């Protein structure tokens, strides 16, 4: 399954509910987080599957500071960059007109893409280093539910390319939808199982047992 690299986690503070008196930090770098937009963002995360308490501005401010300190410059942290690559895969998935997303993940897919392309997000992309932190949090939240669909889509692309090459045509020049992928995947699975049995056995008849006459 296509997973997020566990070596590149988002800051742990995002999953740790602040203890004691609430903090007052509301800035990500120099950008002020707006309470109403925080509410909308937390509502989105809840619909995407977040089970932890709603995020507070102090958690985002601390996470941004930690990422900026680790990066040492204004470039995006590797953990954010990786999740944005995952976001690009989700965009590819929905842009592939011949691929029909599974019904049980379609709603989440469209919610994520709508947020990624929203004209106004919780943190503007222009904030140095951490402008996509909110998008990375969205991807991190929804990924457990979408990872299987992305894995299937990547396999669909692989088999479609193989079928196009077999026909001597281009990737987009053949008719190939989700049903076509399922059928070809089943054929491939049966072939692999056949090859496994051949490796473990033999077409030759079993040798006769030797016996002695006393």
């Amino acid at each position: 399954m296509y997973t997020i690299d566990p070596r590149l986690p988002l800051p742990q503070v995002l999953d740790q509910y602040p203890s004691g008196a609430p903090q007052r930090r509301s800035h990500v770098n120099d950008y002020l987080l707006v309470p109403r937009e925080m509410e909308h963002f937390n509502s989105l995360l809840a619909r995407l599957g977040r089970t932890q308490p709603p995020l507070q501005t102090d958690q985002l401010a601390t996470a941004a500071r930690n990422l900026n300190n680790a990066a040492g410059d204004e470039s995006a942290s590797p953990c954010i960059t990786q999740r944005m690559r995952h976001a690009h895969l989700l965009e590819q998935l929905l842009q592939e007109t011949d691929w029909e997303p599974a019904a049980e993940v379609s709603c989440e897919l469209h919610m994520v893409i709508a947020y990624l392309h929203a004209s106004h997000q919780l943190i503007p992309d222009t904030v140095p280093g951490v402008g996509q932190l909110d998008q990375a949090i969205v991807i991190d939240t929804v990924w457990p539910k979408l990872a299987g669909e992305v894995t299937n889509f990547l396999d669909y692309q692989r088999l479609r390319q193989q079928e196009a090459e077999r026909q001597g045509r281009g990737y987009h020049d053949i008719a190939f939808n989700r049903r076509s992928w399922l059928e070809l995947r089943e054929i491939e699975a049966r072939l692999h199982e056949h090859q496994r049995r051949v490796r473990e056995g033999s077409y030759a008849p079993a040798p006769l047992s030797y016996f002695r006459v006393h």
Side-chain angles (χ1 to χ4, degrees):
M1 183 174 292
Y2 197 81
T3 60
I4 290 177
D5 192 338
R7 296 170 297 179
L8 297 173
L10 292 177
Q12 290 184 350
V13 67
L14 295 171
D15 293 323
Q16 297 171 347
Y17 191 71
S19 59
Q23 301 294 323
R24 296 181 178 274
R25 288 175 293 183
S26 303
H27 286 80
V28 169
N29 293 9
D30 293 330
Y31 182 76
L32 177 65
L33 297 171
V34 180
R36 177 176 293 182
E37 293 174 359
M38 278 294 303
E39 292 177 8
H40 291 164
F41 187 69
N42 279 315
S43 175
L44 172 65
L45 295 184
R47 283 180 285 155
L48 294 177
R50 180 177 170 89
T51 57
Q52 297 92 338
L55 284 170
Q56 297 185 13
T57 58
D58 186 70
Q59 290 171 279
L60 287 168
T62 302
R65 182 187 61 192
N66 293 345
L67 291 174
N68 283 331
N69 290 341
D73 54 28
E74 295 185 353
S75 60
S77 171
C79 66
I80 293 179
T81 300
Q82 187 200 44
R83 283 155 182 81
M84 296 315 298
R85 287 198 295 266
H86 285 56
H88 180 64
L89 279 174
L90 298 181
E91 292 178 329
Q92 280 187 316
L93 191 155
L94 283 183
Q95 290 169 359
E96 180 69 74
T97 56
D98 292 333
W99 176 257
E100 307 90 357
E104 60 268 22
V105 299
S106 180
C107 181
E108 286 80 1
L109 273 168
H110 284 89
M111 283 194 292
V112 170
I113 298 304
Y115 184 80
L116 295 177
H117 290 278
S119 58
H120 195 75
Q121 299 170 343
L122 181 65
I123 304 173
D125 290 351
T126 54
V127 174
V130 292
Q132 295 177 315
L133 175 58
D134 56 329
Q135 298 175 53
I137 294 171
V138 166
I139 296 300
D140 218 49
T141 300
V142 78
W143 201 254
K145 187 162 189 178
L146 297 187
E149 182 69 10
V150 172
T151 298
N152 289 342
F153 176 67
L154 293 174
D155 191 57
Y156 161 87
Q157 290 183 312
R158 176 184 68 86
L159 289 178
R160 180 170 185 161
Q161 183 62 42
Q162 287 184 6
E163 180 62 15
E165 292 174 357
R166 187 189 68 80
Q167 296 183 25
R169 303 170 67 186
Y171 178 91
H172 292 291
D173 296 331
I174 65 172
F176 199 84
N177 56 22
R178 192 181 186 107
R179 177 175 295 180
S180 306
W181 164 70
L182 287 170
E183 292 173 352
L184 201 55
R185 187 179 68 166
E186 178 63 24
I187 292 172
E188 185 180 65
R190 290 200 300 267
L191 176 61
H192 288 168
E193 176 61 21
H194 172 73
Q195 292 172 337
R196 183 190 66 79
R197 289 198 302 268
V198 169
R199 288 194 301 270
E200 295 176 356
S202 172
Y203 286 117
L208 297 175
S209 300
Y210 289 99
F211 64 94
R212 296 179 180 179
V213 177
H214 297 281

